[in-house]
Amino acid sequence: MLKTHQLKAFYGDFQALFGIDFEIGQSETVAIIGSNGAGKSTFLKSICGLIKSPNESVSLVNSPIGELPAEARVRLGISLVPEGRKLFRSLSVEENLRIGGFAKRDGYWSLARVYELFPALIEKKYAPATSLSGGQQQMVAIGRALLSNPKLLLCDEISLGLSPLVVKDIYNALPKICAEGLSVVLVEQDIDAALKASNRYYCFMHGKVSLSGESSLAKRRDISAAYFGITEDQS
Amino acid sequence: MMEWLDMVIQGILLGGLYALFAIGLSITYGVMRLVNIAHGDFIVLAGYATLPLVTYLHWHPFVALPLVMLIMAILGYMLQTTLLNKTIGPDILPPLLVTFGLSIVIQNGLQQLFSADAQALQIGDLQIASLQIGEELAIGWFPLIVFMVALAMTFGVNYLFNHTDTGMSLRATSDDPVTASLMGIRAQHVYGVALALSFALVAVGGVFSAIRTTFTPSTGPISLLYAFESVVIGGLGSIWGTFAGAVILGVAQALGSKFDSGYGILAGHLVFLLILIFKPDGLFPRTRA
């Protein structure tokens, strides 16, 4: 459904991605793992439009979108749960959720369905979003992204800074989210959580894909090599 | 005693006019950190825009007002989207410089078109009509109308910000324009809406001000100063705070002029300076979690 072809990304003179070939199909969950600075977040930003690329290097259902700005891509069905949640601090919980629906796409997700998915948010709906606990804020960020009824949901480090118990709660919600035919890209540093939740994985290192494959067949040793770059013929 | 009460009431009513000047400035600063140095000149421009409608078409200024509001709002949107958006960024200097330049252009343009002669908008008997309360107190109808309109506008703007989708876009973009773009919100458009809103209020303030006193192409900067002082006294980013700041400024000026007619404006500046020294965040700053 979404493909990247030789995707490169730059911050000024600094090159962060060196030609990424990536593909995700309908209702597939794909994990992207890799260490800090491997280019995972940059990759998500290039897909959702916060970083623009040559038009042909990103395509959604075979139409090129690399030059479209983020506000146009969300209307095409690409939604990002940003790293660090990035909730709007002047908005209440419910407003933060509703603003996710401003892209005006029809679909399964509504305010009521998000509250069904994360019942903990119901009693906090009038509270300022930033007054919530980290886990609840993450639920708001996910709910906000779902309310745009995306075809492709990009999750950037949703487990970062959360207790293992809360991470488990959030990952438990994932199958319910995917049940609606949604494709999900999970960017994670927590390899186990990411592999368990995904069908396939890509491992990034220094802005390149160092390994990819079926998540269930992933071997620990290969991944550490691809993750840290420790191999016998290290260059 | 009655004289003092009279002065305070005059001051409060005058504060209504200053609120109309100030809330527009508060909005653009709050949403996009734009300090519009030409704000006062746009207030004057609204007066001049009304002049031909009144002089040649013989419209009542109050009838012309909605049209002038609409024209000014469109002008605001266009100005923001074509010019000022290019200046918005992490550096606050470019918008200051560009609007400073606009201020000079507007003042000289108006002088070229309308000459430097003082102009005024007439509303006939309403100008001097007053409401008698008891034996010693009288409140002018016109200042009262200005105050009530200012109050209604402040309610309206506050409602817009807190209870509408447009308001949510404005607040979200103010918080974080990048994340807002992920919601499908285009910051450039939202900034245009913010300046349109600001200019609609400027139009109301400008027309009322042009009825209250005479105006020339160079009266803009003093209006900007009152607007700026109101915003700082009230606290940045709070709409009701700005309204309160404008009323405090109006009362200070009225009480000052009670001592000596020349002290009015000075008293306003002194209150502003005292607030800057003792409460630099203003009296009602918006608290953020």
Side-chain angles (χ1 to χ4, degrees):
Chain A
M1 186 186 62
L2 181 116
K3 271 185 205 169
T4 70
H5 177 66
Q6 285 299 304
L7 177 67
K8 298 179 182 73
F10 300 85
Y11 294 103
D13 288 337
F14 173 75
Q15 186 166 5
L17 297 179
F18 295 84
I20 304 275
D21 290 319
F22 171 94
E23 194 175 344
I24 181 167
Q26 167 99 38
S27 14
E28 202 180 15
T29 300
V30 172
I32 298 177
I33 53 179
S35 61
N36 264 335
K40 309 184 300 292
S41 291
T42 307
F43 179 70
L44 289 193
K45 283 181 186 167
S46 302
I47 297 181
C48 73
L50 291 180
I51 298 175
K52 288 182 198 168
S53 329
N55 215 17
E56 306 294 328
S57 57
V58 184
S59 56
L60 182 71
V61 204
N62 294 323
S63 43
I65 58 164
E67 283 166 5
L68 290 181
E71 59 264 25
R73 291 196 211 183
V74 66
R75 288 195 197 97
L76 295 176
I78 299 178
S79 192
L80 173 73
V81 183
E83 183 180 355
R85 307 181 280 267
K86 300 280 167 66
L87 300 183
F88 298 109
R89 61 180 184 273
S90 308
L91 272 57
S92 68
V93 167
E94 181 150 309
E95 286 176 327
N96 262 285
L97 292 171
R98 277 180 46 215
I99 206 166
F102 274 23
K104 300 217 174 352
R105 287 173 54 83
D106 293 330
Y108 175 81
W109 293 102
S110 62
L111 207 51
R113 292 225 160 99
V114 169
Y115 283 139
E116 213 173 283
L117 182 69
F118 299 122
L121 299 181
I122 296 174
E123 57 181 290
K124 306 270 185 182
K125 63 170 134 177
Y126 300 119
T130 41
S131 69
L132 267 55
S133 70
Q136 287 170 340
Q137 287 194 30
Q138 193 66 69
M139 292 171 191
V140 177
I142 295 171
R144 183 178 67 177
L146 287 175
L147 272 166
S148 71
N149 277 301
K151 293 182 208 159
L152 176 64
L153 182 71
L154 311 169
C155 299
D156 197 354
E157 307 267 13
I158 51 175
S159 65
L160 198 70
L162 301 181
S163 73
L165 208 65
V166 175
V167 173
K168 216 174 128 195
D169 272 356
I170 285 175
Y171 271 90
N172 283 342
L174 210 56
K176 282 183 236 166
I177 294 170
C178 300
E180 303 311 315
L182 189 70
S183 310
V184 180
V185 177
L186 286 176
V187 158
E188 272 296 349
Q189 295 200 33
D190 182 341
I191 302 175
D192 289 329
L195 290 179
K196 212 181 288 173
S198 60
N199 308 111
R200 286 189 303 121
Y201 72 95
Y202 289 79
C203 187
F204 279 25
M205 191 172 61
H206 304 320
K208 291 179 190 127
V209 174
S210 54
L211 188 70
S212 63
E214 301 276 324
S215 299
S216 54
L217 304 174
K219 291 207 181 63
R220 199 70 203 181
R221 209 173 52 112
D222 297 343
I223 286 184
S224 9
Y227 195 100
F228 298 111
I230 309 163
T231 51
E232 282 146 46
D233 51 24
Q234 189 183 5
S235 53
Chain B
M1 187 60 216
M2 231 29 176
E3 283 172 55
W4 287 100
L5 182 63
D6 183 44
M7 274 339 233
V8 170
I9 291 173
Q10 304 301 334
I12 292 172
L13 298 184
L14 179 61
L17 181 66
Y18 292 166
L20 288 169
F21 293 173
I23 290 169
L25 203 65
S26 183
I27 292 171
T28 54
Y29 184 80
V31 173
M32 57 236 185
R33 310 288 173 268
L34 171 75
V35 180
N36 180 6
I37 298 292
H39 191 75
D41 302 295
F42 284 109
I43 292 172
V44 174
L45 185 69
Y48 278 104
T50 318
L51 206 53
L53 299 174
V54 174
T55 316
Y56 299 114
L57 300 178
H58 305 292
W59 288 15
H60 191 282
F62 287 178
V63 177
L65 183 56
L67 180 66
V68 175
M69 280 176 80
L70 182 68
I71 293 170
M72 288 298 286
I74 293 170
L75 176 70
Y77 186 86
M78 307 259 287
L79 180 68
Q80 184 67 41
T81 47
T82 56
L83 179 66
L84 296 180
N85 272 338
K86 295 187 171 66
T87 70
I88 305 279
D91 189 356
I92 66 157
L93 204 53
L96 281 177
L97 291 174
V98 169
T99 55
F100 181 65
L102 274 177
S103 161
I104 294 170
V105 170
I106 294 168
Q107 286 183 34
N108 286 283
L110 287 176
Q111 191 149 338
Q112 185 70 34
L113 275 170
F114 295 93
S115 85
D117 294 347
Q119 307 278 357
L121 297 176
Q122 305 295 342
I123 52 167
D125 292 340
L126 187 57
Q127 191 107 33
I128 44 165
S130 64
L131 178 67
Q132 195 70 34
I133 301 170
E135 281 183 15
E136 289 177 74
L137 202 62
I139 298 172
W141 271 111
F142 175 66
L144 192 60
I145 291 171
V146 172
F147 184 81
M148 296 315 272
V149 170
L151 200 60
M153 291 273 169
T154 310
F155 257 111
V157 169
N158 210 51
Y159 183 86
L160 179 89
F161 263 79
N162 291 321
H163 300 286
T164 66
D165 285 359
T166 307
M168 266 167 65
S169 299
L170 286 163
R171 281 182 289 147
T173 310
S174 164
D175 284 347
D176 182 350
V178 173
T179 306
S181 77
L182 294 172
M183 311 296 130
I185 297 169
R186 209 157 51 85
Q188 289 88 339
H189 168 72
V190 171
Y191 295 162
V193 170
L195 199 65
L197 193 59
S198 167
F199 272 31
L201 291 162
V202 155
V204 182
V207 169
F208 283 161
S209 170
I211 294 168
R212 186 175 170 271
T213 54
T214 58
F215 56 100
T216 71
S218 57
T219 44
I222 192 73
S223 307
L224 168 71
L225 188 60
Y226 296 158
F228 190 66
E229 288 181 342
S230 303
V231 172
V232 173
I233 293 171
L236 288 170
S238 153
I239 291 162
W240 279 114
T242 300
F243 185 87
V247 168
I248 290 168
L249 184 68
V251 171
Q253 288 188 358
L255 291 180
S257 64
K258 179 81 175 65
F259 287 104
D260 184 302
S261 57
Y263 284 174
I265 291 170
L266 179 67
H269 293 337
L270 286 177
V271 167
F272 164 71
L273 288 174
L274 287 174
I275 300 277
L276 262 191
I277 293 167
F278 293 107
K279 220 159 174 328
D281 285 341
L283 295 174
F284 312 98
R286 187 163 75 171
T287 45
R288 279 177 156 168

